[in-house]
Amino acid sequence: NQLCRKMRHEYMELKQAAIAIQSAFRGWRVRIDVCLQQRAAMTIQTTWRAYSTRKTFLLLKQVTVKLQARFRANHLCQVQHHHYMNLRQAAISLQSAVRGWNARKRLKQQTRAAIMIQSTWRVYLARKTFVSMRRIAVKLQRIVRANQLCRKMRHEYMELKQAAIAIQSAFRGWRVRIDVCLQQRAAMTIQT
């Protein structure tokens, strides 16, 4: 009877030791699995961020190239328009001088009428040029403001996205830790 108790006591000690070893091994195995899953998640996130950043960079590059092309074309148009207006003004001035010289030979009344017509015409052209240049300036301002707003909204979106990813990552880690804890408790309950 005493031998039986002694053997039973040794058996229970061995059983408890085996349970402790199994529990430690399973915990170690779960920690390794969680570590591997975290590394895989970090690799996926890093790859996705690199892809997203590359895509954003290429999009911004295309937009920049288009804006530069439009700016250069507009600048060239303004230079040519200015040159044309200078030539036109020079031609108008020359014509005015010749007409004035011819008109001075004629009656003073015809001279005054010609000067009045030319003056009105120049005011009309100047007003028309000013209105068209103002429209162009307003359109350019709208494009620039829209671009700035787009960049601002994109930046805010990226910040919100990064915050959401961080929250999701923290929540998933917390959820995995709870699941692992519940699994360990269940395993201990089953083993005991």
Side-chain angles (χ1 to χ4, degrees):
N1 198 8
Q2 198 175 21
L3 180 63
C4 185
R5 285 183 189 168
K6 185 177 180 183
M7 288 179 68
R8 180 173 172 79
H9 181 67
E10 288 176 2
Y11 170 73
M12 291 304 285
E13 285 179 356
L14 286 174
K15 183 178 178 183
Q16 289 298 324
I19 288 172
I21 290 170
Q22 288 175 350
S23 175
F25 177 76
R26 288 183 185 131
W28 173 77
R29 188 66 191 165
V30 166
R31 285 190 294 276
I32 287 177
D33 289 343
V34 167
C35 184
L36 290 175
Q37 288 173 358
Q38 286 177 346
R39 285 182 186 168
M42 286 173 58
T43 303
I44 290 169
Q45 288 174 351
T46 302
T47 305
W48 172 253
R49 287 181 189 136
Y51 168 76
S52 177
T53 303
R54 196 174 304 116
K55 187 175 179 181
T56 303
F57 170 75
L58 291 175
L59 180 65
L60 287 175
K61 183 179 177 183
Q62 287 178 347
V63 169
T64 303
V65 167
K66 287 181 182 178
L67 281 175
Q68 285 175 345
R70 285 188 182 182
F71 177 79
R72 289 177 184 142
N74 188 29
H75 181 67
L76 181 62
C77 178
Q78 288 178 354
V79 168
Q80 289 179 350
H81 180 73
H82 182 67
H83 182 64
Y84 169 75
M85 290 305 290
N86 285 341
L87 288 176
R88 181 183 177 104
Q89 193 64 38
I92 289 172
S93 297
L94 184 60
Q95 289 172 355
S96 176
V98 169
R99 288 178 186 148
W101 182 72
N102 286 333
R104 278 190 294 275
K105 291 182 178 179
R106 298 182 192 141
L107 299 171
K108 278 189 169 183
Q109 189 176 13
Q110 291 176 347
T111 303
R112 288 181 185 158
I115 291 172
M116 183 63 78
I117 290 170
Q118 288 176 356
S119 175
T120 305
W121 178 250
R122 286 183 192 132
V123 168
Y124 169 75
L125 287 177
R127 189 174 295 135
K128 185 176 177 182
T129 302
F130 171 76
V131 168
S132 71
M133 289 180 74
R134 184 176 178 189
R135 285 182 188 155
I136 290 170
V138 168
K139 286 181 183 178
L140 282 175
Q141 287 175 347
R142 284 182 188 157
I143 290 171
V144 168
R145 287 178 185 148
N147 190 20
Q148 289 173 345
L149 180 62
C150 180
R151 285 182 185 168
K152 181 180 176 185
M153 290 175 70
R154 177 76 178 161
H155 180 70
E156 290 174 359
Y157 168 75
M158 290 306 289
E159 287 179 353
L160 288 175
K161 183 177 177 183
Q162 292 299 325
I165 288 172
I167 290 169
Q168 288 173 351
S169 177
F171 175 79
R172 289 180 185 141
W174 173 78
R175 188 67 194 165
V176 166
R177 287 191 294 278
I178 286 178
D179 289 342
V180 168
C181 184
L182 290 176
Q183 289 174 2
Q184 286 177 350
R185 285 183 187 170
M188 289 175 66
T189 302
I190 290 170
Q191 290 173 0
T192 58

